[in-house]
Amino acid sequence: MKHDHLLQPFDVGPVSLANRVVMAPLTRCRATSDGVPKDMHAEYYRQRAGAGLIISEATNISPEGRGYAWTPGIFSDEQVAAWTKVTDAVHAAGGKMVLQLWHVGRVSHPDLQPGGALPVAPSAIKPEMKAFTEDGFKDMVAPRALAASELPRVVEDYVKATENAKRAGFDGVEIHSANGYLLDQFLRDGANKRTDDYGGSIENRMRFPLMVVDAVTKVFGPERTGIRISPVSPANDLTDSNPEALFTAFVEELSKRKLAYLHVVEGATRGDRDPHAFKAWALRQHFDGVYMGNNNYTPDLAEERLAKGEIDLACFGRPFISNPDLVTRIRLGAPLAEWDEATFYGGDETGYLDYPALTEEEKARYASAA
Ligand code: 8OZ
């Protein structure tokens, strides 16, 4: 199949993308224990700069926001300096990159928290999950419910992280409001049992996530702020009693705020594209802006949905792990390399920097066959 739509340039507000192929945020757990990206991070992202847009791996906005060992942060000067090397490398190679702002909420463990504190969440409900710590997987615990009076401090952590992302040279930020982390915990009633202004009705459950959106857009501008949601994904033990009503209302609020893009995990995270009667992609009708589809996209599925006008941008995750030159391969109709799950999380350059791009000889061969 030809992929003419997928390879077209596209503008997301002031950010001009060379094509509609987006590298999904991919957690790889290879930063230092202090959450500092290494030199290999700059090389890894540089190798993938052929993407129209790179979304960074999820990045902790604060020490409290951390839920997995060796994930990077964006709250210290050392982290900002390291991320600057990454954005310089990507920009020098002609790419564009946004940073994904992450607070995991209850999806953590005291071992990953400052001073061994309890993780924080809207309500003290334990997820039935295991946390990835430096000493291996450990059962999660019941988190501490945040007091309403603490929420402005968490918003301030998002603000500082956004200022840091701007300083580090990112083209924008993406607010991670998906996959059962803090903002999703406030949105969905499986984790939010609050009886104050931040729980109960849909309007109340949206209040804190929208405070974050409003604060972040004030720093970077709505035209450089995207958001990711996963309306029907059960990831991280989180569900909602009525995702259609909740996410329709939420997306309508986001639309009013003129965000750069809406990034939707359309099915179960890393799973079935179609797990629920409510079709998450129907949310596009409620968003007046750029729609980015995510969930097991192949180049053919992306092309088909782009051609029908169902999406504006297509996200690819695992294919980008094993195909640094994914866009070149799509252009040439070259086969895609398989990924090795054993090296997804943690470790060194193996399974990180060593997936090869096509050689000049291979490129010439596929070009002449096309
Ligand atoms: C895989 C492993 C750890 C974290 C997400 C940030 O689900 C993640 C994540 C994915 O959004």
Side-chain angles (χ1 to χ4, degrees):
M1 189 193 243
K2 281 256 185 209
H3 297 95
D4 293 340
H5 293 85
L6 196 49
L7 299 172
Q8 283 302 310
F10 187 78
D11 286 349
V12 179
V15 186
S16 295
L17 314 187
N19 56 65
R20 294 164 187 250
V21 177
V22 177
M23 178 175 164
L26 293 163
T27 290
R28 307 300 308 272
C29 299
R30 281 165 164 85
T32 69
S33 296
D34 292 331
V36 181
K38 300 178 180 167
D39 287 344
M40 68 174 170
H41 287 71
E43 175 59 10
Y44 165 77
Y45 284 111
R46 187 201 60 76
Q47 289 176 348
R48 288 159 180 77
L53 179 68
I54 295 174
I55 304 169
S56 81
E57 62 205 276
T59 300
N60 306 307
I61 61 158
S62 61
E64 173 194 271
R66 181 168 85 131
Y68 299 78
W70 303 299
T71 47
I74 186 77
F75 49 84
S76 76
D77 288 341
E78 204 185 342
Q79 291 164 349
V80 172
W83 278 121
T84 304
K85 290 192 199 166
V86 174
T87 61
D88 282 349
V90 168
H91 289 149
K96 299 286 158 70
M97 184 169 186
V98 297
L99 176 119
Q100 195 192 47
L101 297 167
W102 194 26
H103 188 310
V104 298
R106 67 180 189 166
V107 182
S108 185
H109 187 278
D111 284 9
L112 294 158
Q113 291 291 311
L118 288 176
V120 299
S123 302
I125 302 167
K126 178 171 117 77
E128 293 305 322
M129 298 282 298
K130 288 188 188 295
F132 180 57
T133 76
E134 291 198 9
D135 306 315
F137 286 95
K138 297 193 178 178
D139 284 329
M140 287 183 191
V141 301
R144 175 176 77 77
L146 283 160
S149 60
E150 290 177 88
L151 297 178
R153 191 269 303 158
V154 182
V155 171
E156 193 49 34
D157 289 341
Y158 275 94
V159 167
K160 285 189 205 133
T162 307
E163 287 166 353
N164 285 341
K166 206 170 171 179
R167 275 205 290 147
F170 285 96
D171 296 291
V173 286
E174 173 176 293
I175 298 169
H176 195 344
S177 184
N179 294 346
Y181 299 113
L182 183 68
L183 302 182
D184 209 16
Q185 290 158 31
F186 270 87
L187 288 172
R188 297 206 247 179
D189 58 16
N192 185 343
K193 306 291 182 191
R194 299 176 75 97
T195 54
D196 62 5
D197 288 351
Y198 300 92
S201 67
I202 286 176
E203 192 186 351
N204 278 355
R205 281 182 274 138
M206 295 192 302
R207 194 177 311 278
F208 174 64
L210 290 174
M211 278 164 58
V212 170
V213 170
D214 289 337
V216 168
T217 54
K218 229 174 241 161
V219 176
F220 227 140
E223 72 283 2
R224 289 180 186 271
T225 304
I227 190 165
R228 187 185 214 209
I229 57 173
S230 58
V232 295
S233 177
N236 288 315
D237 196 24
L238 185 55
T239 55
D240 187 79
S241 58
N242 188 349
E244 182 166 6
L246 168 64
F247 283 95
T248 301
F250 190 49
V251 168
E252 284 175 353
E253 287 300 321
L254 299 172
S255 187
K256 284 184 205 162
R257 288 163 172 81
K258 309 241 173 288
L259 294 190
Y261 64 81
L262 178 68
H263 176 179
V264 181
V265 181
E266 294 168 331
T269 308
R270 291 177 295 283
D272 190 352
R273 270 190 59 79
D274 200 5
H276 200 282
F278 163 51
K279 304 297 176 231
W281 50 85
L283 290 168
R284 179 168 199 213
Q285 298 158 24
H286 301 276
F287 188 72
D288 181 18
V290 174
Y291 180 94
M292 185 189 290
N294 183 313
N295 207 205
N296 291 338
Y297 272 83
T298 60
D300 286 357
L301 178 64
E303 180 64 21
E304 193 184 307
R305 285 172 67 74
L306 279 166
K308 287 193 202 151
E310 292 171 347
I311 58 174
D312 298 303
L313 296 168
C315 247
F316 297 84
R318 289 165 293 189
F320 258 117
I321 290 180
S322 49
N323 297 275
D325 56 344
L326 181 62
V327 172
T328 301
R329 289 178 194 239
I330 293 172
R331 182 172 294 118
L332 297 174
L336 302 188
E338 292 296 315
W339 52 79
D340 177 9
E341 294 200 17
T343 51
F344 275 6
Y345 308 114
D348 54 18
E349 298 184 1
T350 306
Y352 193 60
L353 298 186
D354 55 1
Y355 288 105
L358 295 176
T359 62
E360 289 308 320
E361 194 184 313
E362 286 168 322
K363 283 197 265 186
R365 180 147 43 86
Y366 290 117
S368 63

